Amino acid sequence: MVDSYNTILTPGVDEIVEKKSRFIGYAQPVSSEEEAYAFVESVKKKHYDARHNCHAFAIGKENTLYRFSDDGEPQGTAGKPILEVISGNQVTDICIVVTRYFGGTLLGTGGLVRAYTEAAKLALADAGIHQMQRMKLMDITCSYNDSGKVQYLLSTNEISIENTEYGADVTFHTAVPVSDVSMIEKKITEATAARAVIDEKGEKFV
């Protein structure tokens, strides 16, 4: 299982003009092949009068699914360059569509590759790449006397405290990067002389 991966959390859009041809890049977060194709269709519907709506997408953190389409452009000049922007940045759960309005001047295969690549890069940059980390959800319960030590330890190790419950004892609901779990457990055990109770409550990516 992967401990981290790159994705986008928000859509991105940008465009370039190359010899009067307009290339509009759209980047969209997607979680399935169906979502990706639905996004492609939505762009095609929006730009029904465009000559080409080329796309590529990557789905899944492991055994990633890759698909691309040149949508009528010469083979290898559109979909594959878009896909190479995605794979080159190791981004997944993303679909990029580049719409082209023909400007009357042929760009040649090299020109098309450069234009589709640049439009895809700009769309991705506008969306912004976010690294998702696999986190262990841990409840740390301790006495009020120990709570200051535990809170300080979590803070100095940049561990996210998602919520704090105050009852007979204090419980910190935390999200700890999986790579730090053993270290944090050891430090808390030492700091509280093993008085703190640590319960692992599952995992999530954030």
Side-chain angles (χ1 to χ4, degrees):
M1 183 182 288
V2 297
D3 289 342
S4 65
Y5 66 95
N6 293 332
T7 191
I8 60 172
L9 301 181
T10 56
V13 60
D14 208 337
E15 66 178 85
I16 63 166
V17 176
E18 187 71 29
K19 293 182 180 176
K20 297 183 180 179
S21 277
R22 185 180 173 206
F23 294 82
I24 311 166
Y26 296 91
Q28 179 76 11
V30 292
S31 58
S32 67
E33 192 173 1
E34 292 74 21
E35 275 189 32
Y37 282 123
F39 177 64
V40 173
E41 288 306 312
S42 72
V43 174
K44 284 185 175 181
K45 189 174 180 181
K46 179 178 181 179
H47 294 289
Y48 65 90
D49 55 340
R51 180 168 287 196
H52 307 282
N53 290 282
C54 309
H55 73 266
F57 60 80
I59 306 291
K61 297 178 282 294
E62 297 179 88
N63 302 314
T64 306
L65 172 70
Y66 297 103
R67 293 284 185 272
F68 66 89
S69 168
D70 293 313
D71 193 34
E73 291 282 31
Q75 186 175 356
T77 62
K80 193 173 181 184
I82 298 170
L83 183 62
E84 286 175 353
V85 170
I86 292 172
S87 60
N89 286 279
Q90 298 179 307
V91 186
T92 190
D93 291 346
I94 182 175
C95 178
I96 295 180
V97 181
V98 177
T99 297
R100 179 192 183 192
Y101 285 94
F102 184 55
T105 302
L106 296 175
L107 300 182
T109 55
L112 287 173
V113 169
R114 284 191 297 275
Y116 277 103
T117 298
E118 186 62 22
K121 282 181 178 178
L122 290 172
L124 179 57
D126 187 56
I129 298 173
H130 179 78
Q131 186 180 65
M132 302 289 284
Q133 279 194 303
R134 186 158 62 97
M135 311 291 272
K136 186 79 73 174
L137 302 178
M138 294 167 56
D139 288 354
I140 303 163
T141 303
C142 62
S143 68
Y144 280 83
N145 285 341
D146 286 331
S147 63
K149 296 177 195 172
V150 172
Q151 189 167 14
Y152 176 76
L153 193 153
L154 294 171
S155 174
T156 55
N157 286 277
E158 299 183 346
I159 301 302
S160 170
I161 300 173
E162 301 193 329
N163 191 23
T164 306
E165 282 185 43
Y166 298 95
D169 293 306
V170 181
T171 300
F172 298 99
H173 301 282
T174 69
V176 182
V178 289
S179 56
D180 293 339
V181 168
S182 295
M183 176 267 290
I184 291 297
E185 287 180 340
K186 184 172 183 286
K187 285 188 175 183
I188 288 172
T189 299
E190 290 174 351
T192 64
R195 289 185 295 270
V197 176
I198 302 171
D199 291 321
E200 294 184 3
K201 296 292 186 178
E203 296 179 350
K204 69 175 180 179
F205 277 93
V206 295

